Amino acid sequence: MERRKNMPDLKDQLHAVWLCIQIPRAGGRLLETGTEDFLKSKLEGTLGNVPVIVVLTKYDILVDRVERTLNEASLDGLSEKAIQELVKEGAETEVQNTCIGPLEEFTGSDIPHATISTAKGYKETLTGLIQKTETCVNLHLEPDAAVMTSVAQRVHPGLKIKALIKIGKQRYWNALMSCPTFKNNQMKDCLRVLHNDIVDVWNFRDPHKYLRSQQFRDLMMTMVDNIQAESTTTSMTFGSSMSGPIVSMLGALSGPAAPIVVPIAAVAVFVAQWVYEVYQISDVVLQRLMAYIMHLTLVLQTLFFVSKSRVLTRRAIKLAVKSYLASPIKEEVLTRIQDYVQGLAILAHADKDILDKIEEMMQFYEMDAAQVSELEAKIPDVDLLPDEPW
């Protein structure tokens, strides 16, 4: 840890420590001697600003134990939901008495902590741990370390959106209409820059680099080819509007493994001429750049739920694309962009406002831990192998 803490490159440095301790039974000892020594070194400043988060593991075992010890007579007439709340309250009380109290007594301070389980149905606890870690890193280290934390993790899609916004602000999103990086380049090259940055933030397990393939790029460019959208006044959240199409698509895959058909073939034959035009300031160009950023972000957010942290296949990517195209979000995003661009007074001087609008739209579709858990519970686990061609 000392070696990593002093490395010159931020990406190689120590950003946080998870101190994992299994939740003990009532009366059991929480801190072993080695754990106490480590906490003392933190309190004495040996780790400097590097945050330590105490991770209390196997929370599911505690919940089961609390449920078994409930007085059955006291449960008469209670709904299943009320019983679950009663169990949760009992488990939280147990954690406070056997873990948090002794921990605070030893350290004399409030050490960040999280209760987790890797058992099925407890994914929200992992999301909470990742959220707490990102918050601690952001509070105690330089902002770029928190961004790296969000990029590295594969649990919380909401933090991916936050990292994407931060990276966009640091780079060229704040100058989409006056960007020297894009000047004198064809639109396909400008989109390639945007594409790579967004894909990198999501950090999928993509050893074959399918997300950087020309086939996937062409598919995304086709998605912004038609920039005319039907006007709509309906507002929705990502979870409510995406769960239906994803669940429907995955349900269809539970039978024979029929190929997933997306408009890849048409793209391979014809790519719109505008892709080869040289970047220039216009409302159409702005709409396409904004649409590409939003569509790609939301397709990858859909892929997050479809892939479930597994190695990516072309079949999984095509399923995510098809689910997104089947949802009402694509047209809603385009309508929001069109309404915004048409309302701009002076296009060439609107860079700051454009960045704010992209941030606003991304935050609108960002999901918190509870929404992530709710959507994941609805999505069945489907084997996306064997793979299939584009």
Side-chain angles (χ1 to χ4, degrees):
M1 288 190 294
E2 188 68 27
R3 180 179 64 85
R4 291 296 292 266
K5 188 164 66 76
N6 294 319
M7 282 188 170
D9 291 337
L10 180 62
K11 67 180 180 63
D12 297 322
Q13 293 172 10
L14 185 64
H15 296 161
V17 175
W18 287 344
L19 182 57
C20 299
I21 307 171
Q22 183 174 338
I23 299 172
R25 290 180 175 272
R29 183 181 180 186
L30 176 72
L31 302 177
E32 300 294 338
T33 302
T35 308
E36 291 180 347
D37 290 343
F38 179 79
L39 286 172
K40 284 178 182 177
S41 70
K42 169 60 180 173
L43 296 172
E44 292 168 356
T46 303
L47 291 177
N49 290 331
V50 175
V52 171
I53 298 102
V54 173
V55 182
L56 302 168
T57 67
K58 301 193 177 181
Y59 180 62
D60 61 299
I61 295 177
L62 172 62
V63 171
D64 290 343
R65 189 164 69 238
V66 170
E67 189 171 13
R68 288 197 305 270
T69 57
L70 286 176
N71 186 336
E72 292 188 11
S74 66
L75 305 181
D76 288 344
L78 293 181
S79 66
E80 184 177 345
K81 184 177 180 180
I83 294 175
Q84 289 176 349
E85 286 297 321
L86 196 62
V87 171
K88 184 178 179 181
E89 289 175 8
E92 290 175 352
T93 300
E94 185 79 7
V95 167
Q96 181 63 40
N97 293 338
T98 62
C99 302
I100 310 306
L103 181 64
E104 291 180 346
E105 182 179 348
F106 178 80
T107 63
S109 61
D110 183 16
I111 293 285
H113 59 270
T115 53
I116 70 152
S117 169
T118 57
K120 187 176 181 180
Y122 288 86
K123 183 70 175 287
E124 190 172 342
T125 64
L126 303 179
T127 306
L129 171 60
I130 293 296
Q131 177 73 68
K132 182 159 292 188
T133 303
E134 191 269 351
T135 300
C136 289
V137 173
N138 191 50
L139 182 64
H140 297 290
L141 301 177
E142 57 183 284
D144 284 349
V147 173
M148 289 181 180
T149 302
S150 298
V151 170
Q153 59 88 26
R154 294 189 176 116
V155 173
H156 194 336
L159 291 182
K160 297 292 188 184
I161 301 291
K162 291 183 185 297
L164 204 51
I165 291 170
K166 289 179 181 177
I167 289 173
K169 285 182 174 180
Q170 291 172 355
R171 304 194 66 180
Y172 42 78
W173 291 12
N174 61 343
L176 278 183
M177 294 313 294
S178 58
C179 184
T181 304
F182 294 166
K183 189 177 181 182
N184 299 325
N185 284 293
Q186 291 182 339
M187 281 297 295
K188 67 179 180 65
D189 298 318
C190 303
L191 295 176
R192 180 179 293 273
V193 173
L194 294 172
H195 185 103
N196 290 346
D197 277 355
I198 295 172
V199 165
D200 286 346
V201 168
W202 282 91
N203 189 30
F204 283 102
R205 296 175 64 192
D206 187 16
H208 304 293
K209 300 191 181 302
Y210 289 139
L211 293 178
R212 289 176 176 263
S213 69
Q214 192 58 51
Q215 291 92 336
F216 182 61
R217 294 178 196 274
D218 288 346
L219 200 127
M220 293 308 308
M221 286 188 284
T222 301
M223 213 176 278
V224 302
D225 191 21
N226 180 7
I227 59 171
Q228 298 301 317
E230 296 292 333
S231 180
T232 176
T233 56
T234 304
S235 291
M236 59 200 77
T237 60
F238 179 87
S240 64
S241 54
M242 278 307 306
S243 60
I246 296 177
V247 171
S248 175
M249 296 292 177
L250 288 174
L253 291 178
S254 60
I260 299 171
V261 180
V262 290
I264 292 279
V267 174
V269 175
F270 172 76
V271 178
Q273 182 59 39
W274 65 268
V275 173
Y276 297 100
E277 294 175 355
V278 174
Y279 166 87
Q280 58 184 330
I281 296 175
S282 75
D283 58 348
V284 173
V285 168
L286 176 57
Q287 287 183 47
R288 283 178 172 145
L289 290 174
M290 293 179 70
Y292 198 95
I293 290 171
M294 290 303 304
H295 287 330
L296 179 57
T297 298
L298 295 177
V299 163
L300 295 182
Q301 185 166 243
T302 308
L303 183 59
F304 172 89
F305 293 101
V306 171
S307 68
K308 296 190 174 183
S309 296
R310 293 171 292 191
V311 172
L312 288 188
T313 62
R314 285 164 295 200
R315 186 170 173 81
I317 295 169
K318 289 164 67 179
L319 174 61
V321 170
K322 191 164 185 177
S323 299
Y324 179 69
L325 291 174
S327 78
I329 291 183
K330 176 177 177 288
E331 295 303 314
E332 185 193 48
V333 165
L334 199 48
T335 299
R336 289 174 180 270
I337 292 172
Q338 287 177 345
D339 291 346
Y340 165 73
V341 173
Q342 291 170 4
L344 283 177
I346 305 175
L347 191 63
H349 301 290
D351 283 328
K352 176 62 168 64
D353 193 47
I354 292 168
L355 177 62
D356 290 343
K357 184 61 180 180
I358 294 174
E359 180 175 2
E360 174 194 313
M361 292 177 64
M362 283 195 169
Q363 288 174 339
F364 181 82
Y365 294 105
E366 179 188 323
M367 301 181 71
D368 59 27
Q371 290 173 316
V372 170
S373 296
E374 182 180 352
L375 182 53
E376 285 183 326
K378 295 178 181 178
I379 297 176
D381 191 9
V382 172
D383 187 2
L384 293 169
L385 290 172
D387 202 1
E388 62 189 48
W390 289 107

